[in-house]
Amino acid sequence: MDATDLEYRARTRSGCIPPELVSRLLERGHADVMESQAGRGEWFCALAWARGLSDQGREADALEALAPYVATGWWTAVVAAAELLEVWGRIDEAIEITRTRMEVGHPMALDAYTRLLARHGRAEEAFGLLVPHVDDWVLATALVDVASVAGRDEEAAALLAGRIRADHCCDGPWCCRGLDSDMALGLLATIRERQGYIDEAIALLRRRQITSINSRDQLAELLARHDRIEELRAYAALDGHEEVVQQLAELLEKGNDVEGAIAVYGQADGPAARNPNSAYGLAQLLARHGRGGEAIAVMRAQADVHPGDDWILHALSELCLDQGRPADGLAHLDALDAQRGGEDEWELHWMRLPLIAACSGVDEAVERARAHPEGATWYAAEHIARLLADAGRTEEAVTVLQQHDHRNSHDLAGYLVDLGRVEEALAILLRRSPQPPLLPTTHLWSDEPPF
């Protein structure tokens, strides 16, 4: 085995049995296949097999299943082995296997190693190891977490405060690499909230230039945790970010104030009218509380404002299907098709298929799909096969996908497993394609043309 090859196949899910199909093999009673493939370089099989052995108390066998993968030095395998050792209470061995990778300079090993130490009575040692790396945002986050266990919150806070540049405003995504001021403010706020200084934590977060990151807003979450509803309401009105609006609505819904949650999204001039994501949040809220007609109306309004926006149309179509009103979804798509002069691209056409199947049956949906100009493509085959499989016609789904087996290998293999044709499924999954050539690791970007 080779760590680079293992990483490539695990990351791309190519030339291997992916985790969802490992689960499918288990569900269909093919544990023997998984055990066999675990010894042939199939990582996801080996991982599932080792965890199953662990559940049976067979610790030595579980480690033996992972051993060839760990021997390559592949970080993912090392982490898996360390996690099992920790679960079994073999802490020194878990620490040792992680420390070995840290010493050879693996970029993620120090984070895992220090957190492991902190969980098992060596938080002081972990804190000392992390301090020199506070300018790395991943390790700074670990430092803040470890500081809580080590009782070193004030030292961590001082380190973070020293990295907040009040006179600097980033002018691009590559400006401050590592720990920037916004990240430092957020981590410092985490410490202050943990210490009970809620007002200080709020003040720190209000100083950030960028408030929402990866669909999360730390200030909104903090206000929600402490039931600061009026402050959260003011923040939602001032900021307008969909994450803040959603956080407030979820808090009110949790408190059984459904009408209040709905009101957060506003009426004609509210967030739901201006922002499709907020409209979707409102529609989901309404649907959860038995108001499907209103939910459909909310998404239809968005579809009218953003004609042809595929994700909005998809959301509307799924909502109509879930609410038992497929004809309403079809009517909207038909009207849009008429406005576009009958130019119905596949990206919009495939949304019709479940609606047609619900209204007129699967055969009608399949016929309409095949009649489309793109109906013979590999991506159309995926949708046609799903219609057939959902109707219990798995053999037909397989026949459709076999025409494009290189492009739809995972779907095809899954249906073959369902039919008990495991060897065929494995033959399709385990075809190896050559890896693309490695890119140079230096001079990959420039802020001057040619970019």
Side-chain angles (χ1 to χ4, degrees):
M1 294 181 196
D2 173 78
T4 301
D5 179 59
L6 287 168
E7 174 63 24
Y8 174 79
R9 289 193 286 133
R11 177 170 48 82
T12 63
R13 302 293 200 264
S14 63
C16 70
I17 305 173
E20 62 273 13
L21 287 179
V22 171
S23 299
R24 210 154 174 168
L25 285 166
L26 282 172
E27 290 167 4
R28 303 295 186 270
H30 299 293
D32 57 329
V33 174
M34 185 183 67
E35 179 184 8
S36 172
Q37 293 298 324
R40 298 178 182 175
E42 287 302 309
W43 164 247
F44 295 113
C45 288
L47 181 60
W49 183 242
R51 286 173 174 169
L53 292 169
S54 173
D55 291 341
Q56 298 170 35
R58 297 167 59 183
E59 296 179 11
D61 291 336
L63 286 180
E64 184 179 351
L66 295 181
Y69 302 87
V70 174
T72 67
W74 186 37
W75 175 244
T76 301
V78 171
V79 169
E83 287 175 350
L84 287 181
L85 289 165
E86 186 179 11
V87 166
W88 300 333
R90 296 162 62 173
I91 308 305
D92 289 342
E93 292 174 75
I95 288 172
E96 178 61 21
I97 194 174
T98 311
R99 182 190 61 78
T100 301
R101 297 310 301 157
M102 183 186 69
E103 289 184 347
V104 299
H106 192 281
M108 291 183 284
L110 181 57
D111 178 41
Y113 179 68
T114 51
R115 290 179 182 277
L116 182 58
L117 290 177
R119 286 196 297 273
H120 297 285
R122 295 168 63 178
E124 285 281 348
E125 180 184 349
F127 186 86
L129 289 170
L130 288 166
V131 166
H133 304 280
V134 70
D135 288 316
D136 181 309
W137 71 269
V138 172
L139 298 179
T141 303
L143 177 77
V144 168
D145 294 340
V146 168
S148 175
V149 185
R152 307 282 288 272
D153 273 346
E154 282 305 326
E155 290 168 73
L159 287 168
L160 293 167
R163 280 150 179 83
I164 298 170
R165 301 168 61 186
D167 59 341
H168 177 71
C169 180
C170 288
D171 59 2
W174 301 104
C175 179
C176 290
R177 301 188 180 197
L179 183 69
D180 62 21
S181 292
D182 272 6
M183 177 65 73
L185 283 164
L187 292 173
L188 182 53
T190 297
I191 293 174
R192 294 310 184 210
E193 181 188 6
R194 192 162 65 209
Q195 293 175 317
Y197 303 136
I198 308 305
D199 290 335
E200 184 178 344
I202 290 170
L204 286 165
L205 291 175
R206 291 193 187 280
R207 290 171 56 188
R208 299 174 82 182
Q209 296 173 32
I210 300 174
T211 58
S212 297
I213 301 173
N214 295 330
S215 299
R216 294 188 60 187
D217 188 294
Q218 188 177 349
L219 175 55
E221 291 175 357
L222 185 153
L223 293 170
R225 276 195 297 275
H226 297 279
D227 292 322
R228 311 275 282 254
I229 292 179
E230 292 310 312
E231 290 171 78
L232 184 55
R233 194 186 303 278
Y235 182 37
L238 173 67
D239 188 86
H241 279 301
E242 62 204 50
E243 294 89 353
V244 185
V245 172
Q246 182 178 347
Q247 191 77 50
L248 175 57
E250 288 176 356
L251 182 63
L252 292 169
E253 183 186 13
K254 186 178 179 181
N256 296 317
D257 184 4
V258 176
E259 290 301 325
I262 292 170
V264 165
Y265 289 104
Q267 302 301 320
D269 61 345
R274 299 189 301 268
N275 187 316
N277 292 321
S278 292
Y280 182 72
L282 173 57
Q284 294 296 302
L285 171 63
L286 289 165
R288 282 196 298 273
H289 294 278
R291 296 163 68 168
E294 293 173 70
I296 290 172
V298 167
M299 291 312 298
R300 186 185 292 119
Q302 285 297 316
D304 288 338
V305 174
H306 305 278
D309 190 313
D310 58 350
W311 89 260
I312 294 175
L313 289 171
H314 182 59
L316 173 60
S317 300
E318 282 201 331
L319 194 54
C320 289
L321 197 61
D322 291 343
Q323 295 299 317
R325 296 170 59 175
D328 290 354
L330 277 176
H332 189 92
L333 292 172
D334 287 342
L336 178 63
D337 190 24
Q339 292 171 16
R340 296 161 63 96
E343 295 181 8
D344 189 14
E345 297 177 358
W346 183 260
E347 282 300 314
L348 298 182
H349 186 80
W350 74 265
M351 297 176 198
R352 299 172 177 275
L353 303 181
L355 300 170
I356 295 169
C359 289
S360 306
V362 172
D363 287 330
E364 175 68 18
V366 170
E367 184 179 342
R368 293 273 295 275
R370 286 175 169 158
H372 190 275
E374 298 171 74
T377 60
W378 68 268
Y379 46 86
E382 175 187 343
H383 296 287
I384 295 170
R386 188 177 303 139
L387 284 171
L388 292 165
D390 288 346
R393 295 158 62 174
T394 309
E395 289 280 5
E396 293 176 68
V398 166
T399 300
V400 169
L401 291 175
Q402 282 176 329
Q403 301 171 50
H404 310 275
D405 60 347
H406 283 272
R407 301 300 296 270
N408 292 301
S409 58
H410 287 190
D411 289 336
L412 175 56
Y415 295 138
L416 286 169
V417 169
D418 291 344
L419 293 171
R421 295 158 61 178
V422 176
E423 291 303 320
E424 290 178 67
L426 295 181
I428 290 167
L429 289 171
L430 300 181
R431 285 187 302 225
R432 296 292 183 88
S433 300
Q435 292 187 31
L438 293 174
L439 293 172
T441 57
T442 57
H443 306 297
L444 288 179
W445 66 276
S446 171
D447 56 6
E448 298 291 338
F451 299 106

